[in-house]
Each structure stands twice: as C-alpha cells, then as structure tokens.
Amino acid sequence: MANHYVFKDCLPVAPLKLAALDGCRELASLVNDHIVSFRRQDMEELIERKEDLNYRGYHVDSYLLNFTCPRFGSGEAKAILGESVRGTDIFAMVDVTNHSLTYKMFGNINHMSPDDHFENLKRLIGATAATCHRLTVVMPFLYEGRQHKRNSRESLDCAMALEELVAMGAKNIITFDAHDPRVQNAVPLNCFDNFMPTYQFIKTLLQHEPDLNIDKEHLMVISPDEGAMDRAVYLANNLSVDMGMFYKRRDYSKVVGGRNPIVAHEFLGSSVEGKTVLIIDDMISSGESMLDTAKELKERKAKKVIICCTFGLFTNGLDKFDEFYKKEYIDYVITTNLTYRPKELLEREWYWEADMSRFLAAIINSLNHDVSIERTLTPTEKLQRLIQSYRAHEGIRDLEARL
C-alpha cells in the first residue's frame, strides 16, 4: 500500500485534468495510469480507516483532457476543447523535442519543430486559462533552455518564453534538469520547479548491473564539462565515490554549427584505470562531446563507461554511437522517457531507459493536493535507502513500491 500517496488531511484544490499535447501523449498515458492507481489505493485505505473522501471526481478512470489542435491548409492551427474545464486544475504536458509529428502546409509535409510545439501549448492555454481554476505547465525539456543567457547580440529566448507563459495564465512551471535553473529569475513571482532524475538513473543502473561495486576502488562519477559539475558532485557524494571532470578547450576564432568547435578534452581527477565510470549530464544533442569523453576514458583504461543523460536527443542519428559501442568506447547509455525516443533507439542493445512516469505522477498528484514536495525535489533520503538496500544484497526490482 503506497501510504505516502494518501493525503488524508487534505482534498485536491480542484478536479485534476492532464492536458497532453500530441507529442507527449505516450508519457501522459503512463502518468495517468499511475495517478489512477494512486487514488484507487487512497480510496481503499480511507475506506479501511472508515474515513469519507467526499469529493466528486476524485477517483475516475482517466484524468486525460479531451482536446485537439487541428491545422488549416495554410499551416495555422487552433485548440479545440472536447469538454468543459471550468474549475479544474490543469497540467498541460508538452514535449517540444518530438520531431516525429508532421502536418501539411500548402500541400507540403512539415515536421513539427520546438517552435510549433510551443505555439500549440500557448493555444491550449488560450482555450483553458480563462475558466480553469489553475494551470500548470509540465515541460520536461525546457523550451530554449540552452539559450538562458546573453552573449553579445543575442536574444534571451528562454526568459521570454517563461514570461509569455506566465502572462497567459500559467501559475506553475515544472521542468527537469534545466540547463541552467537560474533562468527562473525571469519569472520570480511564479512557481518554477526543476526536478532531477538522479534516483531513477541509479535505480536503472542497479537493475541492469547487479554485480556493481559501489566504492571508490571500483566506481567513479565523471562530469563531461564544467556545466555538469553540480550533477556529478551530488551523485558522487551520495555514492561516496570520487569525481573527475573534463573541460573543453575550444577554438573561439571559429563558429561551426552555431558554436565554437572543441579542440581537445582535458581531464582533472584521479585515475580511472579498472573502474566503472558514470558520465552524467543533462542531454545528448549530437553526442559528439559525450563520445569524445567516453573515448578519452577508455584510453585511460576505464573498465566500463556508462553515460547517464536526462534527455537523449541524438540529433545526428545513432550511427556514431553504434560505431563507438562496437569499438567498446561506450558500454551503455541511459536516458529518461521524458522526451521522444525513436523506435530504433529503443531497439539498441547499448540503450537503457529510466522510466520517469511514476515520479512525474507523484509530483502532479502532490501538487493537485497542494502538499509539500520538498522530499521530491531533493531525493537524497530515498537514494540512500536504495543504495543501502543494494549493498545489503536485497532485491531492488520491487524496491520502488517500498520506498
């Protein structure tokens, strides 16, 4: 019985609705199933306690909102609601990285870009914000998150996007592993929650590596650059292992593909010889720098190289990863299911997936009840219990239910 999901002293602030845009409906369906399960257990436990949960619509078969975003032949679109949202607590879910969706414009087929997904999100807000009780945007991959600061004559796209969402009526914004969470300073009077998948990474790793030794002699955490230092330090401290870091020397006299090319990777840290190393970062875009880091570690005689990234975009395809796997430069890649993953990726033998749907469902369920999410924001206690259970040689496949 998931007792920690039973909120016996409070009711939801309003009936819950999950408004999932097209690119995010697979994840939203998993989240919906978990919330249905949580609330079914709530009802059973409250009945056992002979307590009455007198709240219409608390436990239903589905919390998914019925709506569509059709397009005209010109490429313009609109949001159409299939049901009333008056007085509801809406969680609008969007995956701006899903490039698999297409639409017709003047008879031509176009793939949806992050801009298209963001515009559809605004259309949904425009159709619901006036009558709903509260609207929260769930955007796992923060739109324009890498454009979080101004260098020379540049636009501040992420800050502008956040201000626009707030101005339209979004009360809360939920994201995961923001490239730089300080971008929330653009909307200082609104709630901005940035969650990390550290626990899910370790849980997935331990499920696939049952013989992993978690100590300084056998395991090490690596930051591929200075930007991932906070993630690596937090994970290394929780695992009680050493941490190393690469820094990139770039040629600032050139710009290739919108960025300065990397000349070399320099390593700072103790020896990785004979160790399993975890490279942790927020995303794999083209994967170029991540693969270079993995190659450098294997040339330094690392036993295994496992890459852990929240978002696996693989913008240049999977061929290079296949090549490095065959050459044994990488052993495994772990990413979450918070963004679109093509079928070809899921079939790769070097790929493991960290399921975030239950975690996201717990966040949404908690926020709908207006209860504290402090333990969710920093899952240190849960992570420590997982590691202790693993070291005690207990089974971890059902550990999530106990934690």
Side-chain angles (χ1 to χ4, degrees), residues 47-293:
I47 290 172
E48 289 177 6
R49 297 175 182 174
K50 297 182 180 179
E51 297 178 17
D52 181 26
L53 188 60
N54 187 21
Y55 191 83
R56 183 172 296 174
Y58 180 77
H59 174 51
V60 296
D61 293 333
S62 175
Y63 299 94
L64 295 172
L65 178 66
N66 177 20
F67 78 99
T68 58
C69 285
R71 288 185 180 269
F72 299 102
S74 61
E76 300 164 297
K78 60 181 177 180
I80 303 175
L81 302 181
E83 59 183 290
S84 173
V85 296
R86 187 173 298 278
T88 58
D89 190 16
I90 294 179
F91 288 80
M93 301 178 63
V94 58
D95 175 11
V96 298
T97 68
N98 193 332
H99 60 277
S100 68
L101 302 181
T102 60
Y103 64 91
K104 281 190 176 182
M105 179 176 175
F106 292 95
N108 298 313
I109 300 296
N110 291 286
H111 283 265
M112 290 188 68
S113 70
D115 293 345
D116 292 319
H117 288 291
F118 186 69
E119 290 301 315
N120 276 354
L121 172 63
K122 292 197 296 183
R123 293 181 179 105
L124 173 63
I125 295 174
T128 59
T131 56
C132 70
H133 176 77
R134 184 176 65 180
L135 190 141
T136 299
V137 171
V138 181
M139 187 185 293
F141 185 93
L142 188 61
Y143 176 71
E144 294 285 5
R146 284 183 286 181
Q147 189 56 21
H148 60 280
K149 62 182 179 180
R150 175 174 285 149
N151 293 316
S152 187
R153 303 179 182 92
E154 294 180 346
S155 57
L156 287 170
D157 296 73
C158 189
M160 290 190 297
L162 293 177
E163 288 183 343
E164 192 170 9
L165 293 176
V166 167
M168 292 186 69
K171 301 299 182 185
N172 307 320
I173 295 171
I174 296 173
T175 192
F176 286 81
D177 205 349
H179 194 69
D180 189 338
R182 289 176 295 181
V183 74
Q184 66 186 290
N185 293 334
V187 286
L189 300 182
N190 286 76
C191 184
F192 181 101
D193 289 315
N194 179 48
F195 297 94
M196 304 296 290
T198 311
Y199 170 80
Q200 285 74 17
F201 280 155
I202 298 305
K203 180 170 175 280
T204 302
L205 174 64
L206 297 184
Q207 286 177 340
H208 287 87
E209 289 281 296
D211 299 323
L212 182 67
N213 291 312
I214 305 178
D215 55 46
K216 291 184 178 182
E217 288 71 37
H218 299 90
L219 185 64
M220 190 170 178
V221 178
I222 302 295
S223 171
D225 54 40
E226 59 277 13
M229 280 287 290
D230 288 346
R231 303 176 184 89
V233 168
Y234 177 75
L235 179 57
N237 285 342
N238 273 280
L239 297 176
S240 299
V241 299
D242 290 333
M243 191 211 77
M245 187 198 83
F246 281 87
Y247 70 91
K248 303 169 185 174
R249 284 200 292 116
R250 295 182 180 272
D251 183 354
Y252 288 98
S253 66
K254 300 177 183 178
V255 177
V256 179
R259 61 180 181 174
N260 304 109
I262 299 169
V263 177
H265 290 82
E266 305 292 348
F267 181 66
L268 300 174
S270 58
S271 173
V272 299
E273 185 174 353
K275 297 180 182 179
T276 296
V277 294
L278 307 180
I279 307 176
I280 188 164
D281 206 354
D282 60 336
M283 75 176 75
I284 297 172
S285 183
S286 66
E288 175 188 343
S289 61
M290 191 66 69
L291 291 174
D292 288 344
T293 300

Side-chain angles (χ1 to χ4, degrees), residues 199 202-203 206-207 209-212 214 238-239 380-403:
Y199 170 80
I202 298 305
K203 180 170 175 280
L206 297 184
Q207 286 177 340
E209 289 281 296
D211 299 323
L212 182 67
I214 305 178
N238 273 280
L239 297 176
T380 304
E381 180 183 348
K382 193 174 180 181
L383 187 57
Q384 286 299 316
R385 291 171 62 188
L386 174 68
I387 295 169
Q388 290 169 11
S389 176
Y390 177 79
R391 284 173 171 159
H393 306 291
E394 296 178 7
I396 68 165
R397 293 192 179 277
D398 63 341
L399 188 62
E400 179 79 2
R402 301 203 307 274
L403 293 181

Side-chain angles (χ1 to χ4, degrees), residues 17-55:
K17 283 294 181 182
L18 301 178
L21 288 155
D22 287 342
C24 202
R25 295 202 170 171
E26 180 183 352
L27 175 62
S29 179
L30 295 174
V31 170
N32 175 69
D33 291 343
H34 283 302
I35 295 178
V36 169
S37 176
F38 293 162
R39 297 197 172 184
R40 183 178 297 119
Q41 293 178 47
D42 287 358
M43 298 296 288
E44 292 173 356
E45 182 147 333
L46 290 168
I47 290 172
E48 289 177 6
R49 297 175 182 174
K50 297 182 180 179
E51 297 178 17
D52 181 26
L53 188 60
N54 187 21
Y55 191 83

